[in-house]
Amino acid sequence: MFMGTGSDVGKSLIVAGLCRALSNRGLKVAPFKPQNMSNNAAVTADGGEIGRAQALQARAARRDPVTAMNPVLLKPEGETGSQVVVRGQRRASLSARQYWADRAQLLPEVLAAFSELARDADIVLVEGAGSASEVNLRAGDIANFGFARAANVPAVLIGDIHRGGVIASIVGTLAVIEPGDGALIRASLINKFFGDPALFEAGRSFLVERTGLPCLGPVPHFADAAKLPAEDALALETYAGGDGAFHIAVPRLPRIANFDDLDPLRAEPGVMLTLVQSGQTIPRDADLILLPGSKATRADLAALRSNGWDIDILAHHRAGGRVMGICGGYQMLGRTIADPDGIEGAPGISDGLGLLAVDTVLAPLKQLRTEQAIHLDSGQHLAGYHMHMGVTSGPDTARPFARISNETDGAISADGRVAGTYLHGLFAADGFRRAFLGAPSDPDLNYEAGVEDALNGLANHLETHIDIDQLLALAAPIKT
């Protein structure tokens, strides 16, 4: 198990890289995260949803993603509550207080999912959540030591040296956790090193002497990590890309979901992608304004208006600009969004931006499925997935965005400059992306091949800087 001294220390990438490295060695590998909190999710082969990081790790392990890889997923819906997804299906929406009081009841299901994976793997690589030193959250824990103790899984503690204070964070974590928890930690690992690794030798020796544990690494910063889908919303603080002539502006909604939809756009050399932060105005020179997915559409629509972005979007459209919405963003472009059952908050109805003649009614049944589709305007094939709650109808659906088998998806305005779709992941299709943008692009850019190259590069990077044989020697037989 790979735990961290804090969030965003690189646990997800370390596990993904090791999944590919061990798969390259001929081992059957399975990734696992007991509890995740993210609005970046992926649809699984068994018809559920898991965190995007675990889907990437499954890809690295050359396996189909399944719900057992992330049995508990929390999808924040507000400042103090989340949708609770168990084995891929929505179970409830709970306040943080309610969830933390009841989460221990989910441990049997977490352990059952872990055992299911273990029966079909040579090794399971487990990712912890947040910080392993949050002793205030230890009672009832299922994400870090609560799981590790129950499953008897040895752990490696990861620290991020780029943040500073990595020695104190490693030693301090071991100092504050329970002795029984500390006994499971078999090594530390120093991640995100910049510069000459030899300069850390004295620090490494200090850690070994002070903790009595081997110190793996340091692992230098892996620049091509930017080519891999990110899960943690912290990545959005510096999320931008390119200096191309075609400018795409994306308002950063407070509860933005599945923002990896933007990654292929960021990779296009002909594109400049701007993530518009709260308090900023949408750039007037944008060629396309893209409204992303949202975990709480009505609340994010209210936030969009409070930033004045509705005024910017409507002015952009009046000036002849293009607008697109994906999933929740599609719903916002319509005339109304109704939530009669209080699926995402208090029951009610909100006026949309009115750029599409459609209306949406939210409903309890979540649609989760992968799709093969055809973009009707260009005839280009694309692959994507549906992950939404709600039904959208209205006159503009007579001009659909895509066809999926015998059904249609999305809507296009009468003037052709506003489009909406429920399809996530669509921009990964190279031909469609280039045709839709109609902008200068690299005809040789293969986005999916680039992800594979980055995973292989990450695996080689870890093979170079970690003694993986030593790491494997620290693992223990799994009790199933």
Side-chain angles (χ1 to χ4, degrees):
M1 185 169 186
F2 296 85
M3 299 188 192
T5 58
S7 294
D8 200 35
V9 299
K11 299 184 295 291
S12 296
L13 279 176
I14 290 291
V15 171
L18 290 173
C19 279
R20 178 55 59 92
L22 296 179
S23 175
N24 288 344
R25 290 184 173 208
L27 294 174
K28 192 171 187 180
V29 190
F32 181 75
K33 185 162 186 170
Q35 172 196 289
N36 199 352
M37 177 177 281
S38 177
N39 276 334
N40 241 18
V43 174
T44 63
D46 51 347
E49 60 179 312
I50 59 174
R52 171 60 57 185
Q54 281 61 65
L56 179 67
Q57 291 160 1
R59 177 174 180 167
R62 299 185 173 96
R63 297 178 66 128
D64 289 333
V66 293
T67 58
M69 293 173 178
N70 178 203
V72 179
L73 175 62
L74 306 178
K75 305 187 78 174
E77 294 179 318
E79 295 300 320
T80 59
S82 294
Q83 184 183 109
V84 181
V85 177
V86 181
R87 284 307 295 262
Q89 303 299 321
R90 177 181 181 270
R91 182 165 293 187
S93 289
L94 300 176
S95 69
R97 188 184 297 266
Q98 289 173 306
Y99 177 74
W100 294 116
D102 299 338
R103 61 188 170 144
Q105 299 174 17
L106 296 173
L107 183 59
E109 292 180 87
V110 168
L111 293 172
F114 176 66
S115 295
E116 181 181 319
L117 288 176
R119 287 192 293 270
D120 189 36
D122 297 316
I123 188 167
V124 180
L125 301 180
V126 185
E127 180 187 341
S131 170
S133 63
E134 292 170 336
V135 294
N136 55 308
L137 302 177
R138 177 62 178 86
D141 171 61
I142 63 172
N144 289 309
F145 286 113
F147 164 78
R149 291 280 289 274
N152 193 33
V153 176
V156 173
L157 183 62
I158 301 176
D160 176 359
I161 194 170
H162 189 53
R163 295 183 176 191
V166 71
I167 293 174
S169 68
I170 296 285
V171 175
T173 296
L174 291 166
V176 300
I177 60 177
E178 299 174 12
D181 292 347
L184 288 176
I185 298 180
R186 304 291 171 82
S188 63
L189 189 154
I190 307 302
N191 196 24
K192 301 185 184 180
F193 191 89
F194 287 77
D196 183 356
L199 296 176
F200 190 68
E201 278 305 311
R204 182 174 183 167
S205 297
F206 179 90
L207 279 173
V208 172
E209 181 180 348
R210 179 59 65 94
T211 66
L213 301 171
C215 177
L216 307 174
V219 177
H221 169 69
F222 181 66
D224 280 350
K227 297 179 180 179
L228 297 172
E231 179 185 63
D232 201 312
L234 288 172
L236 293 174
E237 300 301 327
T238 57
Y239 193 95
D243 56 1
F246 191 85
H247 191 182
I248 302 175
V250 182
R252 180 182 173 180
L253 305 173
R255 299 160 191 87
I256 186 172
N258 297 67
F259 61 82
D260 57 301
D261 284 341
L262 309 176
D263 288 351
L265 299 173
R266 188 172 60 159
E268 272 287 359
V271 165
M272 176 171 64
L273 190 143
T274 299
L275 192 66
V276 185
Q277 304 290 343
S278 179
Q280 299 176 342
T281 58
I282 296 177
R284 292 185 179 181
D285 65 348
D287 297 287
L288 171 69
I289 295 176
L290 177 61
L291 296 186
S294 166
K295 188 62 203 69
T297 306
R298 292 177 62 218
D300 273 355
L301 179 57
L304 182 148
R305 286 196 163 100
S306 70
N307 274 288
W309 289 335
D310 57 330
I311 298 171
D312 295 343
I313 293 168
L314 295 175
H316 169 83
H317 178 254
R318 285 196 302 271
R322 295 167 61 190
V323 184
M324 182 181 187
I326 300 176
C327 201
Y330 168 33
Q331 295 172 344
M332 292 180 197
L333 292 175
R335 298 177 297 200
T336 59
I337 305 168
D339 188 1
D341 299 321
I343 301 299
E344 293 186 346
I349 186 168
S350 300
D351 290 330
L353 297 178
L355 291 177
L356 287 174
V358 299
D359 301 279
T360 298
V361 179
L362 301 181
L365 180 63
K366 179 177 281 191
Q367 299 187 46
L368 294 166
R369 60 186 186 272
T370 57
E371 307 283 18
Q372 297 290 326
I374 295 177
H375 179 232
L376 290 175
D377 276 0
S378 67
Q380 291 287 335
H381 288 263
L382 57 93
Y385 60 95
H386 278 163
M387 182 182 288
H388 68 93
M389 304 168 73
V391 176
T392 299
S393 60
D396 280 353
T397 61
R399 290 181 294 273
F401 179 82
R403 179 170 297 281
I404 304 168
S405 188
N406 294 322
E407 300 179 357
T408 58
D409 170 89
I412 296 176
S413 63
D415 63 15
R417 290 188 284 108
V418 183
T421 177
Y422 275 118
L423 284 166
H424 288 288
L426 69 171
F427 288 117
D430 301 312
F432 159 74
R433 184 178 65 252
R434 288 190 277 267
F436 178 79
L437 295 177
S441 61
D442 180 358
D444 297 323
L445 175 62
N446 183 320
Y447 176 74
E448 295 293 354
V451 173
E452 283 297 304
D453 288 345
L455 285 172
N456 286 325
L458 179 58
N460 293 336
H461 185 72
L462 296 185
E463 285 276 13
T464 300
H465 298 286
I466 296 176
D467 185 341
I468 293 183
D469 291 327
Q470 180 188 18
L471 182 65
L472 289 172
L474 300 174
I478 298 169
K479 294 181 179 180
T480 61

